Amino acid sequence: MNANYRFSSDTAEIDRVQVHRWISEQSYWAPERSRSRQDAAIDGSRNFGIYDSVSNRQVAYARVITDGVTFAWLCDVFVDPTVRGHGIGKALIAGILEECDPLGLRRIALSTNDAHGLYSNLGFSTLIAPETWMERIVNPGV
């Protein structure tokens, strides 16, 4: 990432309107997520963004759900399509990991359909024991 962009973990900087638009209109994992649900998700998470250094326009977002001690779930990772391919996603995840590493978490998990290369380059791997993981889908797409 070049000097034209900056990383922030300040939730107050999050452009909630833009993040909601990205997640509800352009993501494959939460199409049509309501604004109230998105705001509640932001309020219950640690939030991260990449911003244009000149305009302060948000160009990427991700959030982490964690107890701050043992486990974290990285989710809602989104990079504005107009800046993809410029290292923004890598910088976003690297910044998040830098913020989370001092917590001493045992595991940071995530789910992705299309960014395996990005995450594997930053130390993520497939589940070591997938047979031990389970999930319960209650409300798909929200």
Side-chain angles (χ1 to χ4, degrees):
M1 186 172 73
N2 62 42
N4 294 328
Y5 300 98
R6 65 179 178 79
F7 172 85
S8 175
S9 60
D10 184 355
T11 296
E13 287 194 79
I14 299 298
D15 181 343
R16 290 173 180 249
V17 172
Q18 181 60 62
V19 168
H20 176 251
R21 190 175 302 121
W22 284 333
I23 303 301
S24 68
E25 296 176 12
Q26 297 181 46
S27 78
Y28 62 80
W29 62 90
E32 300 180 19
R33 181 182 288 168
S34 72
R35 173 66 192 270
S36 62
R37 287 181 81 83
Q38 184 61 48
D39 283 343
I42 289 170
D43 293 339
S45 304
R46 294 181 186 210
N47 298 278
F48 305 92
I50 300 283
Y51 302 84
D52 181 286
S53 295
V54 175
S55 69
N56 282 323
R57 179 178 75 90
Q58 187 166 1
V59 298
Y61 172 76
R63 64 189 181 94
V64 172
I65 305 162
T66 183
D67 60 12
V69 179
T70 63
F71 180 80
W73 182 261
L74 173 62
C75 56
D76 284 350
V77 178
F78 196 92
V79 177
D80 189 303
T82 64
V83 298
R84 289 181 187 164
H86 298 283
I88 304 296
K90 182 177 181 179
L92 177 64
I93 303 308
I96 291 168
L97 295 176
E98 190 173 306
E99 294 267 332
C100 289
D101 283 349
L103 300 175
L105 301 169
R106 180 168 184 249
R107 175 177 287 118
I108 300 174
L110 62 88
S111 177
T112 184
N113 282 357
D114 58 3
H116 296 82
L118 167 71
Y119 296 112
S120 64
N121 286 335
L122 291 164
F124 288 87
S125 63
T126 58
L127 294 174
I128 294 169
E131 67 279 2
T132 66
W133 286 78
M134 298 179 73
E135 67 180 339
R136 178 175 179 246
I137 305 297
V138 179
N139 296 308
V142 284

